[in-house]
Amino acid sequence: MASSTVRVDLDGKPINQLTICMIGAGGFIGSHLCEKILNETQHKILALDVYNDKIKHLLEPDNLSWAGRIQFHRINIKHDSRLEGLIKMSDLTINLAAICTPADYNTRPLDTIYSNFVDALPVVKYCSENGKRLIHFSTCEVYGKTIGSFLPKDSPLRQDPAYYMLKEDASPCIFGSIEKQRWSYACAKQLIERLVYAEGAENGLEFTIVRPFNWIGPRMDFIPGVDGPSEGVPRVLACFSNALLRREPLKLVDGGESQRTFVYIKDAIEAVLLMIENPSRANGHIFNVGNPNNEVTVRQLAEMMTAVYANVSGEPALEEPTVDVSSKEFYGEGYDDSDKRIPDMTIINRQLGWNPKTSLWDLLDSTLTYQHKTYAEAIKKVMSQPTTS
């Protein structure tokens, strides 16, 4: 429950109640952010999305302690005349809407570009024209490949952080060739970042850009055939979870050698709330939000998840828990990838004093416990049904 005492920002100033227009509130990040805001603050939320399954517990019943502080508006921002009015009613707009599933980037490149660039244009325009602050969610994929990935494999410079650490104000954005349509997502996200930044420079838009580095936790993505399409391919954690639930080997694309960092959703949401409530420290900045201490290869992640899930479920792991597949076989033509994504945390630590707390083992335990409780029985029912041609 939100505290009745006066809350203050990082500079000791009272925090005024805000009305927040949250676009994409019904998704993974939005659901956790709504929970945080309603439980710990007095801010009001205009929750915009096409679906509300992940926030139904916040909307019903109407005798909840935060009743009256959240309104759900079923809106597709592609073509809804209500969007500008809702932004005008708010002090702050947070745009979470995106297509952000790697399997779609090279199989649905047009949808990916439209969703992440074209559909975001009105949001930026309305915020700028109406003098409203914007927190725009981008992606760590805007960095593309590291400088180190172009060095010889035996080069000692590959171990130098200067060649792989990703810095908001210094690192170049390096993408693959145009025929590698996997980069459609990163390019669209980078271009909307440049537009937001230009609106700030030329028209005075107050903005903050967030670059998430693999936020992990309950309600992430979907499980194919249960709460998502049977043929769908979610992101790596949900993909591995699906295999564990079905007792199938975890598929390692190109051997699972890519390196990634993972941060717990509850840690990341703490950072976002600091951005919301400290505009003087957050405006005009781009923030990496990740946990460089939780760096593993995708193969190591699969091994950790296999061990954690065996403990959570009480079921022994498969004798051969993983299987290697090619990126072409798994994602189709046009796939490409970055070698590693390790965030530099200097700016967010300096401006907001934020550091992640949760270890990879702990976040996997929390997440897989949720996945098992939520999906294990549903998966058994799905798998017990006869298949149809």
Side-chain angles (χ1 to χ4, degrees):
M1 178 181 285
S3 172
S4 58
T5 58
V6 176
R7 301 174 68 252
V8 296
D9 65 15
L10 294 174
D11 297 310
K13 299 175 182 176
I15 297 170
N16 296 323
Q17 185 188 60
L18 300 172
T19 297
I20 300 168
C21 177
M22 191 184 303
I23 301 168
F28 164 56
I29 295 174
S31 67
H32 286 276
L33 184 53
C34 284
E35 281 182 346
K36 181 80 169 176
I37 290 169
L38 294 173
N39 277 311
E40 298 186 18
T41 79
Q42 290 296 322
H43 305 318
K44 297 179 181 179
I45 302 171
L46 303 178
L48 281 58
D49 213 318
V50 178
Y51 305 105
N52 65 4
D53 301 35
K54 295 182 181 182
I55 57 171
K56 272 187 176 178
H57 63 294
L58 303 175
L59 304 172
E60 305 166 354
D62 57 9
N63 63 351
L64 294 168
S65 60
W66 52 73
R69 288 200 294 118
I70 181 169
Q71 297 175 8
F72 178 71
H73 297 265
R74 196 176 299 278
I75 283 181
N76 185 332
I77 63 169
K78 289 181 181 180
H79 43 66
D80 200 301
S81 59
R82 294 174 291 170
L83 178 61
E84 183 174 14
L86 290 165
I87 289 175
K88 282 182 176 181
M89 291 168 58
S90 307
D91 303 295
L92 163 69
T93 294
I94 301 175
N95 189 10
L96 295 156
I99 286 179
C100 52
T101 307
D104 291 329
Y105 302 162
N106 57 303
T107 57
R108 298 170 56 202
L110 284 176
D111 284 344
T112 299
I113 292 166
Y114 273 81
S115 172
N116 292 293
F117 177 67
V118 177
D119 295 348
L121 290 175
V123 177
V124 181
K125 177 175 179 283
Y126 296 150
C127 287
S128 184
E129 290 179 349
N130 293 287
K132 301 297 182 179
R133 185 178 170 223
L134 172 65
I135 295 180
H136 180 81
F137 271 69
S138 184
T139 172
C140 61
E141 294 214 15
V142 298
Y143 291 109
K145 302 184 179 189
T146 65
I147 298 173
S149 68
F150 294 91
L151 296 171
K153 289 193 175 181
D154 59 353
S155 171
L157 292 176
R158 275 180 170 258
Q159 305 307 313
D160 185 341
Y163 289 87
Y164 66 79
M165 191 70 75
L166 301 174
K167 300 182 179 183
E168 302 97 322
D169 57 351
S171 296
C173 302
I174 307 172
F175 301 147
S177 63
I178 296 298
E179 67 183 19
K180 299 294 186 182
Q181 297 208 81
R182 183 256 190 279
W183 298 108
S184 60
Y185 173 67
C187 286
K189 282 291 196 179
Q190 186 200 138
L191 188 54
I192 198 69
E193 275 198 29
R194 292 191 180 278
L195 181 79
V196 170
Y197 201 92
E199 282 285 354
E202 293 191 26
N203 296 324
L205 173 67
E206 293 187 356
F207 73 87
T208 302
I209 292 172
V210 185
R211 291 178 179 167
F213 281 71
N214 294 305
W215 296 10
I216 300 298
R219 301 195 292 271
M220 182 180 180
D221 288 354
F222 60 91
I223 296 298
V226 178
D227 56 0
S230 298
E231 69 281 4
V233 182
R235 284 171 289 185
V236 64
L237 185 124
C239 203
F240 283 175
S241 296
N242 182 45
L244 291 167
L245 287 158
R246 295 173 185 270
R247 293 192 61 74
E248 297 172 353
L250 280 61
K251 294 180 178 179
L252 299 178
V253 176
D254 294 336
E257 297 307 312
S258 295
Q259 291 173 270
R260 296 291 184 267
T261 61
F262 298 88
V263 65
Y264 192 38
I265 183 65
K266 293 188 184 302
D267 288 350
I269 292 302
E270 290 274 1
V272 179
L273 187 58
L274 286 168
M275 296 174 206
I276 290 170
E277 297 188 329
N278 293 274
S280 64
R281 289 171 175 251
N283 282 347
H285 286 285
I286 301 171
F287 291 119
N288 289 340
V289 182
N291 189 339
N293 298 317
N294 286 346
E295 179 195 359
V296 288
T297 65
V298 174
R299 179 177 291 277
Q300 289 171 326
L301 176 70
E303 293 167 352
M304 293 175 72
M305 288 182 66
T306 299
V308 171
Y309 190 72
N311 183 60
V312 166
S313 66
E315 300 173 350
L318 297 177
E319 287 188 15
E320 296 184 9
T322 62
V323 59
D324 288 1
V325 297
S326 70
S327 55
K328 182 178 178 180
E329 177 186 353
F330 193 80
Y331 288 119
E333 290 284 356
Y335 189 76
D336 196 10
D337 207 353
S338 54
D339 54 326
K340 59 167 64 181
R341 297 196 200 113
I342 316 299
D344 180 273
M345 306 301 291
T346 303
I347 294 178
I348 194 167
N349 185 258
R350 181 188 70 220
Q351 294 299 119
L352 302 175
W354 180 82
N355 278 304
K357 305 179 184 72
T358 309
S359 71
L360 186 53
W361 283 107
D362 287 343
L363 77 82
L364 289 177
D365 182 75
S366 172
T367 304
L368 290 175
T369 297
Y370 169 86
Q371 299 284 68
H372 182 69
K373 287 181 178 178
T374 305
Y375 294 110
E377 291 304 315
I379 286 285
K380 288 178 183 177
K381 288 180 182 178
V382 170
M383 295 181 69
S384 67
Q385 294 173 356
T387 56
T388 57
S389 61

